[in-house]
């Protein structure tokens, strides 16, 4: 079985294994979009040459009044790649934060893919809370996610 066939098979298995997934739609030959019950969306692209899957998750927009502080926070988080399971942050052309993760798909199992997707869903919820609180300086940080809530378990 080729790598592409293996990944296609894993995507077919994924939906029934994650209760929070509502839809998995193939967007391109090697790309999928996942929509979850909380409106989280995860785009997945398979790089067959590099043997990796790239996950891209859009987050809430970054508040204009706190852009500098938020950018600093996102860049600092990128530096903590050992602690955060390899998740990194970016921004798109519309100033939305993006959560990204890459995993190697050689010998990837359905269970490992489930763990990654569930971790990304949890990290998305946590980061959206952090970014929303950054937009509201009066909001407390009692609800800020724990450091381990933003890691991808592989």
């Amino acid at each position: 079985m080729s790598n592409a066939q293996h990944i296609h098979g894993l995507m077919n298995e994924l939906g029934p294994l994650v209760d929070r997934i509502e839809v998995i739609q193939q967007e391109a030959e090697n790309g999928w979009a996942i929509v979850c019950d909380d409106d989280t969306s995860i785009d997945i692209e398979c790089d067959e040459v590099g043997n990796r899957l790239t996950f891209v998750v859009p987050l809430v927009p970054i508040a204009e009044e706190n852009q500098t502080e938020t950018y600093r926070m996102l860049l600092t988080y990128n530096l903590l790649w050992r602690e955060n399971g390899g998740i990194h942050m970016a921004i798109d052309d519309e100033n939305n934060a993006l959560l990204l993760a890459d995993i190697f798909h050689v010998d990837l199992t359905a269970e490992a893919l489930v763990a990654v997707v569930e971790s990304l869903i949890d990290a998305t919820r946590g980061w959206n809370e952090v970014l929303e609180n950054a937009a509201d300086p009066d909001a407390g940080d009692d609800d800020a996610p724990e450091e381990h809530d933003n890691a991808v378990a592989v």
Side-chain angles (χ1 to χ4, degrees):
M1 176 184 302
S2 73
N3 279 338
Q5 290 171 323
H6 176 66
I7 298 303
H8 284 272
L10 288 174
M11 291 301 162
N12 288 332
E13 290 181 53
L14 183 62
L17 296 174
V18 180
D19 291 337
R20 297 184 281 182
I21 291 179
E22 290 187 353
V23 176
I24 299 177
Q25 181 174 335
Q26 188 164 359
E27 298 282 308
E29 183 178 340
N30 288 324
W32 297 265
I34 296 175
V35 178
C36 301
D37 57 8
D38 65 350
D39 291 329
T40 296
S41 64
I42 303 171
D43 293 324
I44 303 173
E45 185 175 323
C46 178
D47 173 6
E48 288 188 68
V49 175
N51 290 320
R52 66 181 175 181
L53 292 176
T54 299
F55 299 80
V56 180
V57 185
L59 301 174
V60 297
I62 296 171
E64 270 187 50
E65 59 272 10
N66 292 325
Q67 281 183 349
T68 302
E69 295 84 6
T70 301
Y71 294 160
R72 182 175 289 120
M73 178 177 53
L74 297 177
L75 287 170
T76 301
Y77 186 77
N78 286 342
L79 183 62
L80 300 173
W81 61 271
R82 287 182 185 94
E83 289 82 14
N84 67 27
I87 292 177
H88 46 282
M89 307 298 286
I91 56 171
D92 66 14
D93 293 342
E94 297 173 5
N95 206 38
N96 296 310
L98 300 171
L99 184 148
L100 298 105
D102 295 306
I103 63 167
F104 290 103
H105 61 67
V106 175
D107 299 325
L108 182 65
T109 64
E111 293 78 18
L113 183 58
V114 165
V116 169
V117 169
E118 288 182 336
S119 293
L120 288 171
I121 294 168
D122 292 338
T124 299
R125 290 177 178 168
W127 268 105
N128 280 336
E129 286 179 29
V130 168
L131 294 172
E132 288 167 351
N133 286 340
D136 181 7
D138 296 328
D141 61 350
D142 295 339
D143 295 329
E146 298 284 328
E147 188 173 305
H148 66 276
D149 286 343
N150 296 319
V152 173
V154 183

